[in-house]
């Protein structure tokens, strides 16, 4: 695997860790993918990521956490997503807002969920996930 070679050559570079995580996720190895993202988001690797790259990695890590065991990892996923949207709420990422809305929905905090789905629609007015989330929450 090319990511393994890159990690051997530069273990403190987060890029190969992220590449490895994405590859492992595509192969269905979610736990290993999560470990690679954990490595990319830990010191000293995380220091070299731009805010956008860090935000994207945090969103992907939250997705993996929720995919592995939603009930047990929802609080940890919320932390990642809050950090991700906090890095650039103005630019934002509709996916991050929708995931955060879903987490709040699962935690039964309806107002927070509604707020995040509404933010997702501000970022991407065509977001079906945000509209579905608001529909589930009702009036």
């Amino acid at each position: 695997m090319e990511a393994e070679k890159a990690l051997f050559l530069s273990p403190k570079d987060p890029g190969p860790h992220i590449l490895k995580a994405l590859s492992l996720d595509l192969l269905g190895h979610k736990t290993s993918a999560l470990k690679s993202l954990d490595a990319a988001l830990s010191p000293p690797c995380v220091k070299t990521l731009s805010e956008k790259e860090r935000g994207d990695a945090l969103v992907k890590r939250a997705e993996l956490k929720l995919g592995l065991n939603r009930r047990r990892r929802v609080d940890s996923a919320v932390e990642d997503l809050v950090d991700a949207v906090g890095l650039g709420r103005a630019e934002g990422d509709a996916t991050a807002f929708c995931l955060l809305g879903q987490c709040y929905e699962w935690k039964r905090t309806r107002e927070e969920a509604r707020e995040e789905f509404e933010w997702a629609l501000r970022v991407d007015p065509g977001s079906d996930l945000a509209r579905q989330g608001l529909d589930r929450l009702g009036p």
Side-chain angles (χ1 to χ4, degrees), residues 4 6 24 35 59 65 69 73 75 81 97 109-110 129 131 134:
E4 290 291 341
L24 289 167
K35 287 179 184 176
V59 170
K65 287 176 181 179
N69 188 336
R73 298 178 190 252
D75 290 330
L81 293 165
F97 290 113
T109 52
R110 295 175 54 87
L129 286 176
R131 289 191 194 291
L134 288 172

Side-chain angles (χ1 to χ4, degrees), residues 101 105 109-110 113-115 117 132-139:
E105 215 179 330
T109 52
R110 295 175 54 87
R114 182 179 310 286
E115 183 179 320
F117 288 129
Q132 292 168 4
L134 288 172
D135 288 346
R136 281 192 308 273
L137 293 172

Side-chain angles (χ1 to χ4, degrees), residues 73-93:
R73 298 178 190 252
V74 71
D75 290 330
S76 179
V78 166
E79 289 176 23
D80 283 351
L81 293 165
V82 166
D83 286 348
V85 299
L87 289 171
R89 219 185 236 284
E91 296 173 35
D93 176 3

